[in-house]
Amino acid sequence: MAIRNIILEGDPILSKKCRKVEKFDDRLAQLIEDMIETMNVNNGVGLAAPQVGVLKDVVVIQVDKDKNILELINPEIIKSDGVQEEVEGCLSCPGEYGITKRPMHVKIKAMDRLGNECFYEGEGLLARAFCHEIDHLSGILFKSRTVRMLERAEIDR
Ligand code: NI
């Protein structure tokens, strides 16, 4: 496994649309392993492949240290309802936080690293993480989903 560099806001890679994964091979497994290590070392809740410079539909999420790491290949939101407004940040926008409007419940369809179809449901933070990371695959950063950005004084508190 290897820690990869995280691409920061301003780099055009982060606004590109990713491609679907078609080959479920060792190279994909390596990318997933590296993304997990990179997310963990940076204390992230999730990471999308474009954040490490790979324009593929791959996401890893771990909302809680005690919970399983989710590996989502070609993820799509298939249902969402409710609404939540909570503070959100992104490893590609260090030190910046904003309040986003997101659905409270989200159902997604994805594939695992072997290409098997799988379904997940998330509520609260996990629902936000699904939306945030899947947005990255379309080149969308959380800052375009904010109701407002936090001021420095609110962050330091
Ligand atoms: Ni992000």
Side-chain angles (χ1 to χ4, degrees):
M1 295 211 292
I3 296 166
R4 301 202 187 187
N5 286 329
I6 292 184
I7 291 180
L8 299 180
E9 189 192 11
D11 191 310
I13 284 186
L14 292 179
S15 41
K16 295 203 164 130
K17 192 158 170 26
C18 295
R19 290 214 178 91
K20 280 203 186 311
V21 171
E22 283 168 4
K23 275 196 208 161
F24 295 81
D25 56 7
D26 287 349
R27 197 147 170 243
L28 174 66
Q30 185 64 60
L31 171 65
I32 293 167
E33 295 295 329
D34 288 357
M35 285 174 62
I36 290 168
E37 192 168 1
T38 305
M39 170 176 70
N40 286 337
V41 82
N42 288 286
N43 293 313
V45 163
L47 191 69
Q51 294 180 277
V52 294
V54 178
L55 289 172
K56 284 191 180 154
D57 285 346
V58 179
V59 158
V60 295
I61 291 175
Q62 187 178 30
V63 292
D64 190 312
K65 287 274 171 267
D66 304 329
K67 296 225 170 90
N68 288 339
I69 297 168
L70 303 180
E71 307 172 358
L72 310 175
I73 318 304
N74 303 338
E76 305 170 42
I77 293 173
I78 53 172
K79 199 178 170 198
S80 63
D81 60 61
V83 68
Q84 56 175 327
E85 289 190 14
E86 293 290 341
V87 175
E88 210 166 298
C90 178
L91 292 176
S92 293
C93 312
E96 296 190 272
Y97 299 91
I99 297 171
T100 57
K101 200 170 204 173
R102 301 281 195 189
M104 180 57 91
H105 302 98
V106 174
K107 275 189 194 171
I108 66 160
K109 180 173 100 167
M111 285 173 168
D112 66 14
R113 64 169 77 185
L114 301 175
N116 301 307
E117 195 174 61
C118 42
F119 294 85
Y120 296 98
E121 267 185 72
E123 182 181 28
L125 176 58
L126 182 56
R128 288 209 300 286
F130 284 150
C131 295
H132 178 120
E133 302 308 335
I134 291 172
D135 267 353
H136 271 298
L137 305 179
S138 306
I140 298 168
L141 293 180
F142 83 98
K143 290 165 96 173
S144 62
R145 303 283 196 196
T146 50
V147 178
R148 69 177 182 90
M149 292 300 290
L150 296 192
E151 306 286 341
R152 180 166 294 278
E154 295 176 281
I155 297 165
D156 294 342
R157 220 169 24 210

